Amino acid sequence: MTGTLTEARRPQQAGHHERRSHSRRTARRRNWAGGLAGWLWLGVVAVPLYWTLITSFKAQNRYYADNPLVPSGDPTLENYRLVVESGFLRYFVNSAVVTAGAVVPAVLFSFMAAYAIVRGWRMRVLRAMNGLFLMGLAIPLQATVIPVYLIIIELELYDTLPALILPSIAFAVPLSVLVLSNFIRDVPKELFDSMRVDGATEWTTLWRLAAPLTRPAILTVTIFNALTIWNGFLLPLILTQSPDRRTLPLALWTFQGQYGVNVPAVVAAVVLTTLPVLVLYAFGRRQLLSGLTAGFSR
């Protein structure tokens, strides 16, 4: 009887070893096409960054004479000095005020609206509000330039920073509500019921239960909206006029003359403009990645 069982197990073990060896051979196969495509994409991304960095240290009179992909033999910080002396700090403060003044209210309002929509889905008013938010995703910024301009004129806010903050909040809310409401729906209903049994109010449940559990989503929409508003160009171009109200993307025009462009200075300004974005991503990288991949882990 024992010999029969042993003989019956041998084909199973042999088949198991064959499958294991086959899987090892499959794992050893290298995706040459995918690897080549990855290296090509790395070059597409890395070459512009490399060019931007080395160009920012080149003198303007040597920019067109030297090879654009060869670092300068005599690097200089003159371009960065010119950018700082041209009012970079003022433009930086304007961009920071507009970004913070728009992102913080937009995320707070979107989070509370998303919580109300998810928790009160049976109410017609909240369903209608959710529909309005979804409709807002279909309206591009360019299609609302004239109405926004007329509204800002009527409010007597033209050429002020609030003229940039208010429309930025409006355009940041729809996508933020959509993302946050999807995350709040994934919170188990039993947790909300337990909070209700303990006597917690909706306001307490909002900040002590929903907010900690959806922190990756909150940080994700915060960073996304901050990047969008920080790099915004159309609204500052339309709604501001005086140099003191310029933001960083619009301030790049400072280095454009009547007959030419100071390319090294523009590139130096781009480098300084990008640094806050890199710092923001460095601090929020883990939460941002967990928020972006949360839908795949569920």
Side-chain angles (χ1 to χ4, degrees):
M1 183 66 178
T2 305
T4 304
L5 293 175
T6 303
E7 293 176 355
R9 290 175 180 174
R10 287 178 180 174
Q12 297 178 358
Q13 295 177 354
H16 180 68
H17 288 301
E18 291 178 359
R19 290 193 298 270
R20 180 179 296 179
S21 61
H22 177 71
S23 62
R24 289 178 179 177
R25 288 195 301 268
T26 304
R28 290 175 182 175
R29 295 177 182 174
R30 297 181 178 179
N31 188 357
W32 294 102
L36 180 60
W39 282 105
L40 289 176
W41 181 250
L42 178 62
V44 170
V45 175
V47 170
L49 296 178
Y50 167 77
W51 175 86
T52 301
L53 186 61
I54 65 173
T55 303
S56 65
F57 293 100
K58 290 184 178 181
Q60 183 181 6
N61 56 359
R62 298 294 304 170
Y63 171 71
Y64 294 102
D66 297 338
N67 189 327
L69 295 180
V70 176
S72 176
D74 187 18
T76 177
L77 295 176
E78 182 66 22
N79 299 317
Y80 290 95
R81 186 186 65 82
L82 176 62
V83 171
V84 174
E85 292 180 353
S86 299
F88 175 82
L89 295 179
R90 180 174 65 249
Y91 305 144
F92 178 86
V93 171
N94 291 340
S95 293
V97 171
V98 172
T99 302
V103 169
V104 174
V107 173
L108 289 177
F109 177 79
S110 300
F111 177 65
M112 292 186 289
Y115 179 83
I117 290 172
V118 173
R119 294 289 293 159
W121 180 251
R122 296 181 180 179
M123 298 178 61
R124 293 184 178 180
V125 176
L126 295 178
R127 289 202 301 268
M129 292 297 297
N130 186 50
L132 290 177
F133 289 135
L134 294 178
M135 290 176 59
L137 295 174
I139 303 176
L141 173 63
Q142 294 78 6
T144 62
V145 168
I146 296 178
V148 169
Y149 175 80
L150 295 177
I151 292 174
I152 293 299
I153 292 296
E154 290 295 329
L155 295 176
E156 297 181 356
L157 295 176
Y158 182 75
D159 199 22
T160 62
L161 295 183
L164 305 179
I165 294 175
L166 295 179
S168 299
I169 294 175
F171 284 100
V173 166
L175 182 61
S176 301
V177 171
L178 177 63
V179 174
L180 293 175
S181 60
N182 289 332
F183 271 79
I184 295 176
R185 286 192 184 95
D186 292 334
V187 178
K189 185 180 178 181
E190 291 76 11
L191 296 178
F192 292 107
D193 295 337
S194 63
M195 291 285 291
R196 183 186 303 174
V197 171
D198 293 338
T201 61
E202 291 292 342
W203 188 259
T204 303
T205 305
L206 171 67
W207 296 111
R208 294 191 178 182
L209 176 63
L213 294 180
T214 58
R215 185 179 301 170
I218 295 175
L219 189 55
T220 299
V221 298
T222 299
I223 295 177
F224 177 80
N225 291 327
L227 294 179
T228 302
I229 298 172
W230 181 270
N231 296 323
F233 180 81
L234 184 58
L235 288 179
L237 177 64
I238 301 299
L239 302 179
T240 59
Q241 184 176 6
S242 60
D244 293 339
R245 299 295 182 267
R246 290 175 180 171
T247 57
L248 284 176
L250 189 61
L252 296 178
W253 277 7
T254 305
F255 309 102
Q256 178 177 349
Q258 183 177 1
Y259 301 104
V261 180
N262 189 349
V263 177
V266 173
V267 173
V270 170
V271 172
L272 294 178
T273 304
T274 309
L275 288 179
V277 177
L278 296 178
V279 173
L280 179 63
Y281 176 78
F283 281 101
R285 179 176 60 86
R286 291 185 179 180
Q287 294 291 339
L288 177 62
L289 292 178
S290 62
L292 293 175
T293 58
F296 298 97
S297 61
R298 292 186 174 92

